[in-house]
Amino acid sequence: MACVLEAPLRMSVLSEVTASSRHYVDRLFDLDPQKVLQGVIDMKNAVIGNNKQKANLIVLGAVPRLLYLLQQETSSTELRTECAVVLGSLAMGTENNVKSLLDCHIIPALLQGLLSPDLKFIEACLRCLRTIFISPVTPEDLLYTDATVISHLMALLSRSRYTQEYICQIFSHCCKGPDHQTILFNHGAVQNIAHLLVSTSYKVRMQALKCFSVLAFENPQVSMTLVNVSVDGELLPQIFVKMLQRDKPIEMQLTSAKCLTSMCRAGAIRTDDPCIVLKTLPCLVRMCSKDRLLEERVEGAETLAYLIETDVELQRMASITDHLIVMLADYFKYPSSVSAITDIKRLDHDLKHAHELRQAAFKLYASLGANDEDIRKKIIETENMMDRIVNGLSESSLKVRLAAVRCLHSLSRSVQQLRTSFQDHAVWKPLMKVLQNAPNEILVVASSTLCNLLLEFSPSKEPILESGAIELLCSLTQSENLALRVNGIWALMNMAFQAEQKIKSDILRGLSTEQLFQLLSDSDVNVLMKTLGLLRNLLSTRP
């Protein structure tokens, strides 16, 4: 045996592994239906928690056979149910497993299975569909290809607590964007799911709540409807407020806070309503505290940033609740040095969430400082804040960079900070670097910030000019993107205000007469007004 070469040995090990799995697949083809059923049950027991076994069975072609048995009218209901259970177990393995199942067209087969009269089989199909749809590799649109599917799922909601749990979970994972929200809304999602919020099953209540949080997000139509829906004589906002209470599980508090936040932002609930001021806002601030899990702190801060983004009173209130501004500084301290020594698993977890924490903190600081000068001052005086923003501008993660630029933009609205902190930390340098080759969403916020740094009282104006800003801004005025055109011409207008003749000549040379006329005939009134402002500043010599 010692003289056997390595390659054949590897092959023999592989064939041994698959041979041990092959008999499971072979039994699926037995002529005796009873033996086939026993084979599927044995396969079910063999794959539970065993990813290697799952992969082997997929390679050996178990999936097409299981799907065939699942769809055969002649198969017993018990056999079809067991097939659905095994397929669901295979889907719980790796993302590659889910891809293999999708390639075998598992979704149409399972959706077809939902037409069966047998509840146990329907539940098994739904459980498997749920597992497949919550995988990141499954395209959500597969749920919406056939218009009858959604109405059938709505009808199945009344069958059992399991159908309720799985269907709500499928909806909340497959509702991405306004098109999906509209389809679900038009199929009566609000009316069909509302009463599940008072179900005796926690899992059903939770999945129904998650459904509403994705349905209402940035959707005025859904939000305005939710505000008037009542269950057992109680309006939905009151039910959401009860779910916010401290004695409820954290995920329930967070998700109901998200529902109320969406409804508030859509104008369905006023910003000074007690349920926002006394319940939702304090709950979200609580989620940012040190004793919460990292994931909860990220979600809490991002939701709070969205809630207070456009309302100065909520910004003031949040800023003085539980020392929030100082509490957020802790978001930048991951991964902490202690965890590196004590616990590798913890370090891995911290590393994974460190980006998300920084992004969430920058977003919330941006919202907090959007309007109030005192709040901006407090933020900037928080330990190492300007250094953190400057570091954030050059991070590898696009989302962190965008959030850092947003935070900088918010703080750049302060005359005092432009003259002090912004100058001390030479913020313009990393900002100019960000503007060199960033995607549009970053460019829009970064160029807005640059507009503020080019105001005549800003000490950053001179060095920005010397670093080639005119050329960059002139190129922005030719962008297809409207916001970039506006910001480009706006920054040039600020730059030309009471400027010396050389700067004015450089702007005219960079823009060209042709481009100026182009801007004067732009269809957007903002572009037109800023271009006229630029011309006034170029031609006027009077202070």
Side-chain angles (χ1 to χ4, degrees):
M1 218 32 223
C3 62
V4 174
L5 292 172
E6 195 184 326
L9 178 70
R10 255 209 324 269
M11 286 301 292
S12 68
V13 169
L14 186 67
S15 55
E16 234 173 80
V17 170
T18 46
S20 71
S21 306
R22 185 173 292 286
H23 74 279
Y24 287 116
V25 181
D26 291 343
R27 287 165 72 189
L28 301 181
F29 291 89
D30 202 293
L31 294 174
D32 179 353
Q34 212 38 50
K35 285 185 178 165
V36 174
L37 174 63
Q38 196 50 53
V40 175
I41 291 171
D42 291 346
M43 186 185 279
K44 173 179 74 175
N45 296 328
V47 296
I48 290 173
N50 187 337
N51 275 351
K52 206 170 190 177
Q53 185 70 277
K54 290 176 187 180
N56 285 340
L57 291 171
I58 289 172
V59 169
L60 291 169
V63 176
R65 183 62 184 169
L66 287 166
L67 283 171
Y68 172 79
L69 295 169
L70 178 120
Q71 292 174 92
Q72 276 302 96
E73 293 298 329
T74 50
S75 298
S76 69
T77 306
E78 191 183 357
L79 173 60
R80 294 169 80 188
T81 306
E82 292 293 350
C83 287
V85 172
V86 175
L87 289 163
S89 193
L90 294 177
M92 279 183 176
T94 62
E95 287 182 3
N96 280 335
N97 291 8
V98 177
K99 283 179 187 163
S100 306
L101 294 171
L102 291 171
D103 291 342
C104 294
H105 305 293
I106 186 170
I107 289 181
L110 292 168
L111 290 174
Q112 194 59 38
L114 299 180
L115 300 171
S116 155
D118 187 85
L119 183 59
K120 283 274 167 279
F121 177 52
I122 289 173
E123 289 173 350
C125 288
L126 281 171
R127 193 181 307 118
C128 184
L129 278 166
R130 180 271 317 263
T131 306
I132 289 168
F133 274 121
I134 64 177
S135 164
V137 300
T138 309
E140 297 85 21
D141 285 328
L142 290 173
L143 185 68
Y144 303 96
T145 40
D146 177 353
T148 59
V149 169
I150 303 292
S151 43
H152 188 61
L153 287 171
M154 292 292 177
L156 288 174
L157 275 171
S158 58
R159 293 294 298 274
S160 75
R161 54 168 275 225
Y162 294 112
T163 64
Q164 290 167 350
E165 181 192 334
Y166 304 144
I167 290 169
C168 284
Q169 206 171 350
I170 290 168
F171 284 162
S172 60
H173 272 276
C174 294
C175 183
K176 300 272 193 281
D179 293 348
H180 295 164
Q181 288 172 328
T182 303
I183 294 170
L184 292 172
F185 180 78
N186 289 343
H187 278 88
V190 173
Q191 294 73 14
N192 284 300
I193 297 171
H195 68 97
L196 304 182
L197 289 169
V198 295
S199 162
T200 51
S201 155
Y202 171 75
K203 283 182 174 174
V204 173
R205 288 202 303 280
M206 200 52 236
Q207 293 306 335
L209 190 58
K210 282 183 177 167
C211 251
F212 282 129
S213 93
V214 295
L215 278 170
F217 182 64
E218 290 185 347
N219 192 312
Q221 185 188 25
V222 174
S223 296
M224 292 295 190
T225 306
L226 289 183
V227 116
N228 297 313
V229 172
S230 65
V231 179
D232 296 348
E234 203 168 14
L235 287 168
L236 282 196
Q238 295 169 320
I239 294 175
F240 293 148
V241 166
K242 279 187 177 171
M243 292 174 152
L244 276 181
Q245 288 167 353
R246 287 167 187 258
D247 60 340
K248 297 288 184 284
I250 293 297
E251 70 165 344
M252 182 172 270
Q253 291 184 45
L254 248 176
T255 314
S256 40
K258 278 177 150 179
C259 291
L260 289 160
T261 294
S262 291
M263 291 162 77
C264 178
R265 283 299 305 264
I269 299 177
R270 289 167 52 111
T271 52
D272 58 0
D273 188 298
C275 79
I276 298 298
V277 177
L278 303 177
K279 301 289 182 184
T280 311
L281 187 142
C283 168
L284 289 170
V285 174
R286 274 204 310 278
M287 295 303 148
C288 299
S289 75
K290 219 170 180 169
D291 51 1
R292 297 267 53 88
L293 296 174
L294 300 188
E295 299 90 318
E296 292 161 0
R297 294 173 78 182
V298 168
E299 213 173 328
E302 294 207 327
T303 309
L304 183 55
Y306 180 54
L307 174 67
I308 67 174
E309 190 178 15
T310 56
D311 189 274
V312 65
E313 283 310 317
L314 289 179
Q315 289 157 12
R316 286 179 184 142
M317 208 162 296
S319 74
I320 55 168
T321 305
D322 292 352
H323 308 289
L324 177 65
I325 291 175
V326 177
M327 189 152 65
L328 282 178
D330 191 65
Y331 277 48
F332 296 94
K333 293 175 184 169
Y334 292 88
S336 51
S337 48
V338 183
S339 59
I341 305 153
T342 52
D343 185 351
I344 293 297
K345 223 176 183 176
R346 158 94 179 280
L347 174 69
D348 188 48
H349 177 259
D350 283 9
L351 274 170
K352 208 164 74 186
H353 287 89
H355 282 131
E356 294 174 10
L357 281 161
R358 288 198 291 279
Q359 178 197 338
F362 281 139
K363 274 187 182 171
L364 185 44
Y365 276 139
S367 284
L368 283 163
N371 294 291
D372 188 294
E373 190 62 34
D374 291 340
I375 298 176
R376 288 188 199 120
K377 192 168 179 292
K378 276 185 198 162
I379 292 171
I380 285 176
E381 285 168 358
T382 307
E383 52 174 326
N384 308 330
M385 192 60 209
M386 290 310 283
D387 292 332
R388 282 176 176 149
I389 295 175
V390 168
N391 293 336
L393 293 175
S394 54
E395 281 218 23
S396 56
S397 157
L398 178 72
K399 286 181 170 175
V400 177
R401 281 209 307 279
L402 178 58
V405 174
R406 277 205 181 129
C407 184
L408 188 65
H409 179 230
S410 186
L411 300 174
S412 75
R413 294 181 180 134
S414 159
V415 175
Q416 191 197 355
Q417 301 310 332
L418 283 175
R419 284 181 167 154
T420 53
S421 309
F422 275 54
Q423 187 57 13
D424 299 343
H425 292 82
V427 167
W428 63 270
K429 279 184 190 168
L431 186 68
M432 287 300 287
K433 207 169 164 191
V434 166
L435 281 160
Q436 294 315 320
N437 50 2
N440 273 1
E441 53 179 340
I442 287 189
L443 270 181
V444 169
V445 192
S447 55
S448 290
T449 313
L450 193 63
C451 288
N452 292 343
L453 292 181
L454 287 168
L455 290 162
E456 103 279 7
F457 52 75
S458 164
S460 311
K461 186 172 176 176
E462 291 300 317
I464 291 174
L465 278 168
E466 285 158 20
S467 67
I470 293 180
E471 195 182 337
L472 176 94
L473 295 169
C474 289
S475 68
L476 288 185
T477 66
Q478 297 173 19
S479 169
E480 294 287 305
N481 182 303
L482 172 61
L484 287 178
R485 284 206 305 285
V486 171
N487 287 349
I489 199 75
W490 193 338
L492 288 169
M493 180 185 91
N494 286 352
M495 193 185 276
F497 181 71
Q498 293 187 2
E500 54 196 71
Q501 205 51 44
K502 184 189 176 302
I503 294 172
K504 294 182 176 180
S505 307
D506 288 348
I507 292 174
L508 272 173
R509 206 172 306 122
L511 260 187
S512 81
T513 331
E514 193 186 345
Q515 176 60 8
L516 261 175
F517 281 121
Q518 192 78 42
L519 290 164
L520 285 169
S521 53
D522 197 287
S523 58
D524 183 79
V525 69
N526 271 329
V527 174
L528 180 62
M529 293 304 289
K530 295 289 175 270
T531 310
L532 289 169
L534 169 66
L535 283 172
R536 179 199 58 202
N537 289 350
L538 287 172
L539 297 170
S540 132
T541 47
R542 284 183 302 114

